[in-house]
Amino acid sequence: MEFENLLADRTRLMDVNVIREILKVVSQPGMVSLAGGIPAPESFPIEIIRELTAIVIDKYASAAFQYDPTEGFGPFREILVDYLRQKGISARKEEILVASGSQGVLDAVGKVLISKGDKVAVEAPTYLGALQAFTPYEPGYIRLDTDEDGLIPTSLENVLDRGGVKFIYLVPTFQNPSGRTIPIERRRKIAAIIKKYDALLIEDDPYSSLRYRGIAIPTLKSLAPDNVVYISTLSKVFAPGLRIGFCVAPSVIRKWLVIVKQGTDLHSSTFNQALAAEYISGGFLARHLPSIINLYRPKQEAMLAALDKYFPDNFNWSRPEGGMFIWAEGPKGLDMETLYWKAVEKNVAYVPGKYFYTDPGEGTETMRLNYTMADEETIDRSIKILAEVIKSES
Ligand SMILES: Cc1ncc(COP(=O)(O)O)c(C=O)c1O
């Protein structure tokens, strides 16, 4: 039987995730992937998880394997209060909702807030997974201008001044895909603008703990608490396969996020949340995080040094102080997707940047480079190969 005709209109809007398609090539033997966006397996605290598993079973017994409230496992939400306070966010336990990764929150946000034709304002470029979560609910996207310091506040003000924006979606720190971070002065301006227009902003913050240099910058949530849904995750500092994300949201929105989550999965894994609770409260995260940072910092430095050494002068790239990505921009007219297939022939993969834009035709000359998976020597060699491919085309 042919089932295509049974698909809902909404389902037909769910484009194949291009990054996953690209990753198919990446699994070919010998391929060096600068394309992925996933943590290095060496960053996972496997021995700690072994220890935590025993602790969780002793401490919580059957409660760790039972159905649990949709809002999240009590001891985990309690420890998140402290964890968030360290990020300058004051939230009561009742204000925190646990989800299956930050992606789980993004999906719920789409379901709760977006009606067909609503306007959602996003950075250009933006996180593809957020577009995947929102698009089935048929919003129209409004493009927010960015530069090397991320969102340009006047662009936000102009968009909000025109009216009709349902919400703004931002990744203010070590953005995926650009690696850019909005500096504090801009954050203050953005906070003032969203307060002035009484706008709702979704702050997606998966990367701020992965800081290799410089000092932490206050979250937008801490600057405009009543206007911001703050989303974060343990995917980059514990293990993404455990699927542990969480959010702090204004009360009306939080109430509906809980209701839609009930329909989605009742609650996120109790056992995994118990592991997470012990990971943070037992001081394991604080002890393990420096080793993740020490793993990624030299990789990032190796990539920046290789870009300086090999890339042509008509390219610019971001110099993030943390996170997992560097964004490179070539001269207008260069097509990074055509170059992608040439690079793949030489066993190097990246993500052509155009996929991170909502406006067709934008970003053809851009690329996203990830440095978490390869070792320093391989990073140097593959950036050299990419530079040769680029030079052969220009
Ligand atoms: C900006 C951003 N948001 C959300 C996610 C989803 O993360 P998770 O669902 O694993 O928490 C990612 C993952 O790469 C991301 O880069």
Side-chain angles (χ1 to χ4, degrees):
M1 187 177 165
E2 185 54 74
F3 293 116
E4 277 292 318
N5 59 338
L6 300 184
L7 297 178
D9 295 344
R10 186 181 55 253
T11 311
R12 291 175 210 277
L13 291 172
M14 297 183 193
D15 262 348
V16 183
N17 183 328
V18 235
I19 295 190
R20 289 238 172 80
E21 288 297 297
I22 282 171
L23 289 181
K24 281 186 188 158
V25 190
V26 167
S27 56
Q28 285 171 10
M31 186 71 66
V32 177
S33 175
L34 309 177
I38 61 174
E42 313 90 90
S43 73
F44 302 157
I46 302 287
E47 284 313 311
I48 292 176
I49 293 173
R50 209 188 294 281
E51 203 179 323
L52 291 175
T53 301
I55 294 174
V56 163
I57 291 173
D58 285 348
K59 187 163 170 182
Y60 301 106
S62 57
F65 301 94
Q66 186 54 283
Y67 284 117
D68 207 51
T70 306
E71 289 84 346
F73 186 59
F76 182 43
R77 290 165 79 214
E78 258 153 43
I79 195 69
L80 281 176
V81 172
D82 276 351
Y83 180 80
L84 288 163
R85 194 180 301 122
Q86 285 165 27
K87 288 191 177 279
I89 296 170
S90 73
R92 286 175 294 111
K93 179 184 166 193
E94 299 70 42
E95 292 174 299
I96 299 168
L97 166 65
V98 178
S100 303
S102 25
Q103 196 66 33
V105 185
L106 292 174
D107 177 62
V109 163
K111 245 184 219 168
V112 167
L113 292 178
I114 304 174
S115 298
K116 186 174 176 171
D118 280 349
K119 292 182 191 156
V120 175
V122 298
E123 291 156 293
T126 189
Y127 169 55
L128 198 55
L131 300 180
Q132 264 199 301
F134 302 153
T135 298
Y137 306 103
E138 302 184 59
Y141 292 110
I142 300 189
R143 178 192 187 290
L144 295 169
D145 295 334
T146 64
D147 61 15
E148 58 282 1
D149 285 336
L151 171 66
I152 301 171
T154 48
S155 167
L156 176 65
E157 176 130 40
N158 292 340
V159 163
L160 292 180
D161 206 44
R162 270 178 252 133
V165 171
K166 204 47 159 325
F167 63 84
I168 304 139
Y169 169 75
L170 289 190
V171 185
T173 309
F174 311 140
Q175 196 226 25
N176 180 3
S178 70
R180 291 168 184 157
T181 294
I182 304 176
I184 182 62
E185 313 75 56
R186 270 200 190 182
R187 289 185 190 221
R188 291 213 176 92
K189 284 185 187 148
I190 293 167
I193 293 168
I194 56 176
K195 283 184 196 166
K196 175 176 160 194
Y197 288 90
D198 206 14
L200 178 69
L201 187 144
I202 313 295
E203 176 176 27
D204 188 4
D205 182 26
Y207 299 110
S208 62
S209 299
L210 298 182
R211 176 171 276 285
Y212 317 134
R213 285 176 295 283
I215 47 161
I217 303 177
T219 58
L220 288 168
K221 178 73 179 170
S222 66
L223 300 172
D226 296 339
N227 296 72
V228 175
V229 174
Y230 177 80
I231 308 178
S232 193
T233 176
L234 297 188
S235 287
K236 321 293 172 182
V237 296
F238 193 14
L242 296 171
R243 309 303 305 127
I244 297 178
F246 47 90
C247 74
V248 185
S251 67
V252 175
I253 293 171
R254 189 177 66 249
K255 175 186 138 192
W256 286 101
L257 291 175
V258 172
I259 291 169
V260 304
K261 185 172 168 58
Q262 274 165 6
T264 303
D265 59 2
L266 297 180
H267 63 84
S268 298
S269 160
T270 318
F271 180 70
N272 293 354
Q273 291 182 71
L275 289 177
E278 296 305 308
Y279 184 56
I280 301 176
S281 65
F284 295 96
L285 169 60
R287 288 196 291 279
H288 183 64
L289 184 58
S291 67
I292 304 181
I293 288 170
N294 289 335
L295 175 69
Y296 292 155
R297 188 194 290 114
K299 290 173 189 268
Q300 197 218 43
E301 286 170 357
M303 186 170 277
L304 287 169
L307 288 163
D308 287 340
K309 197 156 40 153
Y310 304 119
F311 257 43
D313 291 342
N314 55 1
F315 264 71
N316 292 310
W317 50 89
S318 55
R319 294 188 165 273
E321 294 188 333
M324 295 182 25
F325 306 104
I326 291 173
W327 183 250
E329 278 179 74
K332 286 267 176 238
L334 198 64
D335 182 354
M336 282 302 182
E337 185 158 32
T338 313
L339 283 188
Y340 173 76
W341 295 109
K342 298 201 163 55
V344 162
E345 276 170 28
K346 304 228 181 295
N347 277 343
V348 181
Y350 58 87
V351 186
K354 69 176 193 186
Y355 294 110
F356 302 102
Y357 289 85
T358 49
D359 289 1
E362 231 194 316
T364 43
E365 70 288 356
T366 62
M367 68 203 291
R368 189 190 76 177
L369 298 165
N370 162 265
Y371 46 79
T372 53
M373 290 297 279
D375 60 60
E376 286 95 300
E377 191 272 320
T378 311
I379 288 172
D380 183 84
R381 185 166 44 81
S382 51
I383 292 294
K384 186 169 182 216
I385 292 171
L386 275 186
E388 284 161 7
V389 170
I390 291 167
K391 284 173 189 163
S392 72
E393 282 297 299
S394 342

